Amino acid sequence: MSINRGKLILIEGLDRSGKSTQCDCLTAKLGANTVLVKFPDRTTPIGHQINAYLTSASDAKNDSLESMHLLFSANRWELASTIKAHLTAGRDVVLDRYVYSGIAYSYVASRASSTRQPLSLDWLQVPDLGLLKPDVFFFLNVSEEEQVRRAGFGEELYEKREFQRSVADIFHKILPKGDETFHLIDADKSLDEISSVIYETVAAAPQPGDFQYYIKIV
Ligand code: NYM
Ligand code: MG
């Protein structure tokens, strides 16, 4: 008898949208047979380079944005077979950020400087094509007022008000709003309300069939 494969669940959102808290909550609620994978995964050698980029105090970065974008994607690819193995073994996998963060943040970063070429959505999505497509996808939609009120905002690269505003705009442009797997969540609500909606949506989602891979993201 073959076992049902696990569900691949994605939670995306801006910085300070409550994403990591909700990922922890959902992982706990789904039980011991669940794996949480956070992107960027800063523990791998590629993740170390990403962490240095995000936490660097200097604006004069040696890394080109193109190479950083490819490293963020490579960080997903280096975990792709592990994620698939968990799902095949019947374990649910919760993703904290994935390809949409990859596209949205690099899109805005490439427009934040007047001295370089902006990167197109066509170019930005290519490195992630072929990755596993989530079975259930949530975007935590947080208001700007609530986002800045939350502790810790502003510690890392990209955590600036203006930048986040632009990232929110592009997220809303690229999110698969018509897709039945996609759920827009009001992230200004209480932690408990949000975690209940997320858990109930995941529990009600149909048993996934064959694996689906991205052939086009935006
Ligand atoms: N980020 C995250 C990217 O720029 N590209 C990506 O592909 C991913 C997965 O990293 N500000 C950015 C968004 C965040 C930052 O993520 C760190 P987190 O979830 O705050 O650790
Ligand atoms: Mg952050």
Side-chain angles (χ1 to χ4, degrees), residues 23-182:
C23 284
D24 289 343
C25 269
L26 179 64
T27 304
K29 282 190 186 192
L30 289 172
N33 215 22
T34 311
V35 180
L36 172 62
V37 178
K38 181 173 164 47
F39 288 117
D41 177 345
R42 305 186 193 213
T43 65
T44 69
I46 292 171
H48 291 157
Q49 280 178 267
I50 292 173
N51 186 56
Y53 171 73
L54 290 170
T55 57
S56 153
S58 160
D59 277 344
K61 294 179 195 306
N62 294 321
D63 325 83
S64 77
L65 181 58
E66 284 84 352
S67 62
M68 287 316 303
H69 183 72
L70 295 172
L71 286 177
F72 274 109
S73 178
N75 189 229
R76 287 184 276 281
W77 278 108
E78 66 180 341
L79 290 162
S81 57
T82 307
I83 291 171
K84 193 171 176 184
H86 283 309
L87 295 167
T88 303
R91 290 186 275 276
D92 293 327
V93 176
V94 176
L95 301 175
D96 180 340
R97 293 194 191 276
Y98 201 44
V99 304
Y100 290 89
S101 281
I103 295 169
Y105 284 86
S106 292
Y107 181 94
V108 176
S110 78
R111 280 160 181 78
S113 156
S114 58
T115 58
R116 53 149 301 129
Q117 286 279 95
L119 295 170
S120 71
L121 291 176
D122 281 345
W123 188 88
L124 289 164
Q125 70 180 310
V126 168
D128 286 324
L129 298 183
L131 283 171
L132 268 180
K133 211 177 148 191
D135 303 299
V136 193
F137 173 13
F138 300 96
F139 181 79
L140 299 189
N141 198 28
V142 69
S143 71
E144 195 176 314
E145 295 69 40
E146 184 58 33
Q147 190 193 21
V148 268
R149 202 174 306 141
R150 291 179 184 177
F153 187 73
E155 278 165 12
E156 281 198 342
L157 183 74
Y158 298 161
E159 298 196 358
K160 303 276 180 304
R161 215 178 156 113
E162 199 60 44
F163 194 97
Q164 296 281 322
R165 206 176 279 153
S166 303
V167 176
D169 287 347
I170 188 67
F171 260 131
H172 284 287
K173 217 179 274 178
I174 65 177
L175 289 172
K177 297 246 168 82
D179 198 308
E180 63 200 358
T181 61
F182 177 70

